[in-house]
Amino acid sequence: MQEEYKGDIGLYLSGQQVKIPSVGIFITQPTIKDIVLTIGESDFMTAAYLLSDIAQFASTIRQGKTELNNIPDFQIVIEVLRQKSGQFTNIIDNFFSLCLPQFSMECSAHSLDFSTEDGTVVGMLNAFNYPDFALAIKELFLPRQKEEAINYRINEADEVSKRLLEKVKKNRELLAKQRSAKDGDNLSMFGLYISILSVGMGVDVNMFYKYTPFQLYDTFNRFLAKAARDKYESMLLVPFADTSALKDNEPPSWFENLYKPVEEEYNSLQKVNEIGSSAK
């Protein structure tokens, strides 16, 4: 199922600033080039993940510190940012400088206060409006979740279907291991996306460094949808091929909305069940 986005997709794609009304601030969307030349991809993604999931952030800080167990998540974040030399302070400060360049941030007793150049406090981030801020960070800067394993439904009483399903699962596991080994420790997600798009679309690699993260993710997902559809349509044209099973797993049009939930259950072994149950 595709994840639903609650923000203004047109605004996100425009690359313009995104206002968070409940907080009183707006987020500036940096380009990929801005990110890699300032704080770096690794620190940028670390900050985005931490800020988009405050419970996980607080849980990381609580590890081995039982005295923090009864302190609310948001209060822990405030205390972490108050420590100027803390482990995460520099990463998040640099993230704020890049994505909230018009504002200065100060930690008060129960909030993060944002002020303009003249010292006027114009925005306040607290435990009540934080979910709005976290959602915007997640939608703007984090890629979609990895593709979930396909849920094949088969006739468990049919041995042919069971053997085929087992083979499919083993092939998926092997592919996952190969990808993991290939990624190694020197993986740049931005670099990987840009390299694929540059070759696949025949576009100068430098063009994609002018994209914002959201624009890059959108283009990449659209490219994947188009590639899947093109592959499907080319297979339909193979002479004398039995395409009946193929049509049962027709990918959606690449023109479709990428941002609405698509409730779709994959059942590509349905035909195998029918054939297997009658095969001797």
Side-chain angles (χ1 to χ4, degrees), residues 154-166:
I154 67 168
N155 179 0
E156 294 292 341
D158 182 67
E159 289 300 322
V160 174
S161 294
K162 289 174 67 175
R163 287 197 300 270
L164 285 172
L165 178 57
E166 193 62 32

Side-chain angles (χ1 to χ4, degrees), residues 192-203 208 216 219-220 223:
L192 180 63
Y193 280 24
I194 289 172
S195 176
I196 292 171
L197 289 173
S198 177
V199 174
M201 297 174 62
V203 176
F208 294 107
L216 183 66
T219 304
F220 187 74
F223 175 75

Side-chain angles (χ1 to χ4, degrees), residues 28-65:
T28 297
Q29 299 188 62
T31 65
I32 305 300
K33 187 175 182 178
D34 291 335
I35 293 169
V36 299
L37 289 180
T38 53
I39 68 176
E41 177 183 342
S42 178
D43 283 358
F44 178 85
M45 297 304 294
T46 297
Y49 276 112
L50 289 173
L51 292 171
S52 68
D53 189 347
I54 194 173
Q56 182 60 43
F57 189 1
S59 176
T60 302
I61 304 302
R62 286 194 184 98
Q63 290 179 3
K65 302 175 183 177

Side-chain angles (χ1 to χ4, degrees), residues 158 272-280:
D158 182 67
V272 174
N273 291 338
E274 298 174 1
I275 298 172
S277 60
S278 59
K280 301 297 182 180

